[in-house]
């Protein structure tokens, strides 16, 4: 155990846990912290994971982030262009970890449009991207770098990009149990959908954070168990692997002011 | 058969109100020289189908777009495409917002002559509520409902490749051909710009022929435009132009807006454009990105 770790590194280790029991699936972490989390999982407790170079090749060992120098040879194991990604997505052998702009109490997420009307949104973002297909085809997790009621909103998402545990939107012939949203890792805590009727449940608190803080910064009601464990802190081995996978320290720029991991 | 054309001749074959597919992905291997030729033309009321980048942003900003079929519009390293956002936020364009994979299915359905392809993608989301024309169907084999992703039939597709011959054999030797084969097959006419025009003997070697993803019968016209993907990338020949994309994006915040960008760079021809961005050699030495 090390006391010298950043919040970003704590989040990477907590997020890596999402992939621990996945077996042989494609781990797709979009963004620096999710990608490092998937890489850490693949290099430690789930070496069966598959990963791409974020471009067109499947790798047998994850690439470090950013410029790798002219001499670097990546460990390709197959071609994996974007069209083939969908063959994988629709086979369900994938776990994506993404950072939507809004998440509601059903685990529905929004990556597309905020406010205004759909015809003329106040803020247009990316679009639905691959979220609809990801959410109905395979397991998914979320990473939220700034836990707040602006992300975890009181009502339903302005635009629902991904299916969640919402009985009102359940397609004919499907069960809510067909939806498989795993972990939500934030700068405050780890949550899952293990509450009653898939309610969001507090799973662990980052060092120095209270359940009250999480409740206050979440726009919907969450289940808070009588005892909530602390998030497992990084080991020296994990920190060394993270440093090796992120040689340009991109992780230092992912959470505002790059705080220390223990805020007590 | 000699399918060589000029960019102006390609645009001359397009008509107002057409549905146009644009190959590539975000900031990668977009037929930008052909897009620029549309910007110089009087064409309007287009419906675009694209894994969108600056192709979509520029055409929206220039008022060429009536409707956009999209899953995202992004420059990747600049996640949000500034000019597309402005068009959406002004309510200037109609949209059919779908999932990335649904777009592939729609192109496949068009390519294969099917009215639709069933999928579960989109169920339970606003994809089905915000697209009233998107129908759900019952399966004859189970008790579930499915999205009937309609064929995305294209009047024309615009694609950029690294090598082609004059008969329309097109090679994508970069690591990913994206959905360009389906764009070519889904369209009544497919116009391809290429960085290098080669003799047909170039493809005799199996490793070269292996990187050809559609038959020449699906290619209508070939336009030889070295550097024609700029400011998007054309791997392995050149990367995307980060400073140029930044300047293009920043123009959305200027008073002059896209018009200011266009006045500075577009010119009357591709030669003017390339001179304004530092010349072909500067394009061809842009480094490839690493992710």
């Amino acid at each position: 155990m090390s006391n010298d770790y950043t919040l970003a590194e704590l989040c990477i280790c907590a997020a890596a846990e999402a992939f621990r029991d996945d077996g042989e699936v494609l781990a797709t972490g979009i963004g620096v912290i999710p990608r490092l989390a998937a890489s850490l999982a693949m290099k430690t407790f789930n070496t069966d994971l598959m990963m791409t170079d974020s471009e067109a090749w499947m790798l047998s060992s994850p690439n470090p982030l950013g410029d790798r120098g002219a001499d670097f040879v990546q460990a390709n194991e197959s071609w994996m262009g974007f069209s083939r990604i969908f063959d994988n997505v629709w086979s369900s052998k994938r776990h994506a970890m993404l950072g939507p702009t809004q998440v509601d109490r059903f685990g529905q997420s929004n990556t597309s449009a905020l406010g205004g009307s759909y015809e003329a949104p106040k803020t247009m973002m990316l679009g639905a991207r691959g979220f609809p297909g990801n959410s109905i085809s395979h397991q998914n997790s979320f990473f939220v770098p700034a836990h707040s009621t602006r992300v975890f909103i009181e009502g339903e998402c302005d635009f629902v990009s991904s299916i969640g545990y919402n009985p009102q939107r359940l397609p004919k012939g499907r069960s809510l149990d067909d939806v498989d949203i795993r972990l939500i890792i934030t700068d405050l805590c780890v949550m899952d959908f293990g509450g009653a009727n898939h309610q969001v449940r507090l799973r662990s608190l980052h060092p120095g954070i209270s359940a009250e803080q999480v409740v206050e910064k979440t726009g919907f009601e969450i289940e808070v168990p009588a005892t909530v464990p602390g998030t497992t802190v990084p080991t020296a081995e994990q920190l060394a692997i993270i440093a090796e996978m992120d040689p340009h320290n991109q992780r230092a720029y992912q959470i505002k002011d790059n705080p220390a991991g223990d805020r007590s | 058969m000699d399918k060589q054309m000029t960019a102006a001749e390609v645009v001359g074959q397009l008509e107002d109100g057409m549905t146009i597919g644009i190959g590539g992905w975000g900031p990668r291997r977009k037929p930008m020289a052909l897009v620029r030729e549309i910007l110089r033309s009087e064409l309007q009321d287009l419906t675009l189908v694209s894994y969108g980048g600056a192709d979509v942003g520029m055409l929206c900003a220039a008022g060429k777009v009536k409707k956009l079929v999209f899953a995202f519009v992004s420059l990747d390293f600049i996640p949000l495409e500034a000019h597309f956002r402005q068009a959406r936020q002004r309510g200037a364009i109609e949209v059919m917002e779908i999932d990335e994979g649904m777009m592939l299915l729609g192109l496949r359905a068009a390519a294969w002559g099917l009215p639709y392809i069933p999928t579960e993608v989109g169920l339970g989301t606003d994809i089905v509520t915000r697209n009233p024309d998107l129908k759900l169907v019952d399966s004859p084999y189970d008790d579930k409902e499915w999205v009937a992703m309609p064929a995305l039939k294209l009047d024309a597709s615009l694609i950029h490749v690294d090598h082609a011959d004059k008969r329309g054999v097109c090679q994508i030797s970069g690591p990913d051909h994206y959905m360009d084969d389906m764009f070519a097959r889904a369209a009544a006419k497919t116009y391809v710009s290429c960085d290098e025009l080669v003799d047909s003997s170039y493809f005799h070697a199996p490793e070269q022929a292996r990187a050809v993803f559609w038959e020449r019968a699906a290619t209508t016209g070939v336009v030889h435009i070295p550097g024609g993907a700029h400011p998007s990338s054309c791997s392995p020949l050149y990367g995307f132009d980060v400073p140029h994309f930044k300047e293009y994006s920043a123009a959305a915040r200027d008073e002059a807006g896209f018009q200011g960008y266009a006045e500075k760079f577009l010119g009357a021809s591709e030669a003017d454009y390339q001179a304004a961005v530092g010349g072909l050699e500067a394009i061809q030495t842009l480094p490839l990105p690493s992710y």
Side-chain angles (χ1 to χ4, degrees):
Chain A
M1 193 186 291
S2 166
N3 293 321
D4 188 18
Y5 57 90
T6 66
L7 180 56
E9 289 161 344
L10 178 79
C11 287
I12 291 162
C13 294
E17 292 297 328
F19 303 100
R20 181 182 281 274
D21 300 318
D22 274 346
E24 204 166 32
V25 304
L26 173 60
T28 302
I30 302 290
V32 168
I33 286 177
R35 178 168 154 192
L36 287 170
S39 302
L40 177 63
M42 187 173 177
K43 287 185 86 76
T44 55
F45 45 68
N46 185 356
T47 53
D48 290 335
L49 283 174
M50 303 190 289
M51 194 172 303
T52 73
D53 67 347
S54 306
E55 201 164 15
W57 304 100
M58 197 77 98
L59 304 173
S60 54
S61 179
N63 276 345
L65 269 65
D67 186 11
R68 293 176 284 274
D71 297 337
F72 181 82
V73 179
Q74 67 181 31
N76 293 340
E77 65 181 25
S78 76
W79 181 75
M80 199 65 191
F82 286 174
S83 57
R84 187 158 152 184
I85 288 284
F86 297 107
D87 294 328
N88 165 267
V89 169
W90 299 331
S91 78
S92 304
K93 294 194 182 304
R94 185 173 187 237
H95 185 166
M97 182 179 289
L98 310 142
T101 304
Q102 289 181 327
V103 177
D104 64 25
R105 65 187 182 280
F106 303 115
Q108 300 174 143
S109 72
N110 181 9
T111 56
S112 180
L114 294 175
S117 65
Y118 183 65
E119 291 68 31
K122 184 161 181 291
T123 304
M124 183 66 203
M125 302 180 292
L126 277 174
R129 247 207 128 136
F131 278 62
N134 292 348
S135 62
I136 204 163
S137 301
H138 55 67
Q139 60 263 44
N140 291 274
S141 294
F142 297 136
F143 172 67
V144 174
H147 193 134
S148 80
T149 53
R150 291 180 55 174
V151 178
F152 297 107
I153 54 172
E154 185 179 356
E156 201 176 0
C157 288
D158 296 1
F159 181 92
V160 174
S161 299
S162 63
I163 190 171
Y165 300 105
N166 181 355
Q168 299 298 317
R169 288 179 185 260
L170 185 66
K172 190 174 85 180
R174 267 91 172 170
S175 147
L176 287 182
D177 293 332
D178 295 339
V179 177
D180 191 0
I181 312 173
R182 301 281 174 91
L183 299 185
I184 305 176
I185 299 93
T186 81
D187 57 331
L188 301 182
C189 65
V190 179
M191 304 187 290
D192 63 20
F193 290 82
N197 300 314
H198 304 287
Q199 188 182 26
V200 174
R201 176 180 68 177
L202 185 56
R203 191 178 166 103
S204 71
L205 288 161
H206 297 346
I209 302 298
S210 69
E212 289 71 30
Q213 283 173 283
V214 173
V215 168
E216 186 192 337
K217 291 192 168 186
T218 307
F220 48 80
E221 204 173 319
I222 62 172
E223 185 179 304
V224 180
T227 53
V228 181
T231 304
T232 305
V233 305
T235 64
E237 184 208 356
Q238 287 179 315
L239 291 173
I241 292 170
I242 291 167
E244 175 202 337
M245 297 310 298
D246 182 25
H248 307 292
N249 199 21
Q250 293 185 32
R251 62 193 180 284
Y253 303 93
Q254 303 307 311
I255 300 178
K256 190 173 182 299
D257 302 330
N258 194 30
D262 189 340
R263 285 165 287 177
S264 54
Chain B
M1 199 187 309
D2 187 344
K3 296 179 180 171
Q4 289 185 84
M5 308 172 68
T6 66
E9 286 168 343
V10 169
V11 174
Q13 295 200 1
L14 306 179
E15 295 169 20
D16 292 352
M18 274 189 168
T19 298
I20 313 270
I22 303 180
W25 182 286
R28 310 179 208 188
R29 212 167 34 70
K30 286 286 179 178
M32 295 307 295
L34 299 181
V35 168
R36 281 186 283 274
E37 201 57 32
I38 293 177
L39 294 173
R40 295 183 193 107
S41 78
E42 299 295 316
L43 268 182
Q44 57 182 356
D45 290 332
L46 302 176
T47 293
L48 300 184
V49 179
S50 178
Y51 291 94
D55 53 330
V56 169
M58 289 184 188
L59 291 168
C60 284
K64 300 294 190 188
V65 182
K66 176 169 180 285
K67 181 177 178 181
L68 174 66
V69 181
F70 79 109
F72 64 83
V73 182
S74 175
L75 302 177
D76 282 11
F77 74 99
I78 304 172
L80 305 181
E81 218 286 356
H83 298 278
F84 156 74
R85 298 182 77 193
Q86 286 188 341
R88 273 290 276 137
Q89 291 166 191
R90 282 201 315 271
I93 53 172
E94 296 171 35
V95 291
M96 179 185 188
E97 182 169 2
I98 53 176
D99 169 272
E100 293 166 0
M102 290 173 80
M103 187 176 290
L104 174 60
L105 294 179
L107 295 171
R108 272 189 189 156
W112 295 344
L114 300 172
Y116 68 90
I117 293 179
T119 176
E120 63 180 349
V121 178
L123 291 173
T125 73
D126 275 330
I127 297 298
V128 291
T129 56
R130 291 296 183 182
N131 288 300
D133 295 339
L134 196 62
K135 301 279 196 281
L136 303 182
V137 292
D138 289 329
S139 164
Y141 302 111
D142 61 36
D143 296 325
K144 297 176 179 177
E145 63 183 354
W146 301 83
V147 172
M149 180 59 209
L152 293 170
K153 289 186 196 163
L154 309 174
D155 295 306
S157 275
L158 308 176
I159 294 169
H160 185 81
V161 303
D162 39 82
H163 297 88
D165 74 5
K166 65 181 182 183
R167 300 189 309 158
V169 179
C170 299
Q171 181 187 58
I172 296 167
S173 60
D176 201 342
H177 57 284
Y178 310 120
M179 317 304 173
D180 289 7
D181 50 340
M182 289 299 147
F183 275 103
R185 296 182 194 283
K189 303 271 181 70
T190 295
Y191 302 99
V192 180
S193 55
C194 64
D195 256 86
E196 295 179 23
L197 189 72
V198 294
D199 188 83
S200 295
S201 61
Y202 171 87
F203 297 105
H204 291 179
E207 63 272 22
Q208 302 296 356
R210 187 79 174 82
V212 173
F213 297 95
W214 62 91
E215 309 79 64
R216 59 184 151 80
T219 306
T220 308
V222 175
V223 190
H224 183 209
I225 315 177
H230 184 272
S232 74
S233 61
C234 185
S235 179
L237 301 179
Y238 47 90
F240 47 74
D241 191 333
V242 170
H244 187 91
F245 271 135
K246 285 182 176 169
E247 182 170 352
Y248 159 74
S249 296
R253 295 191 298 272
D254 292 346
E255 201 175 325
F258 177 73
Q259 195 55 39
Y261 168 89
E263 279 167 17
K264 181 171 177 185
F265 292 110
L266 189 58
S269 68
E270 192 64 7
D272 286 355
Y273 172 80
Q274 292 194 348
V277 299
L280 179 59
E281 196 178 328
I283 293 173
Q284 288 172 332
T285 51
L286 286 165
L288 295 167
S290 54
Y291 295 94

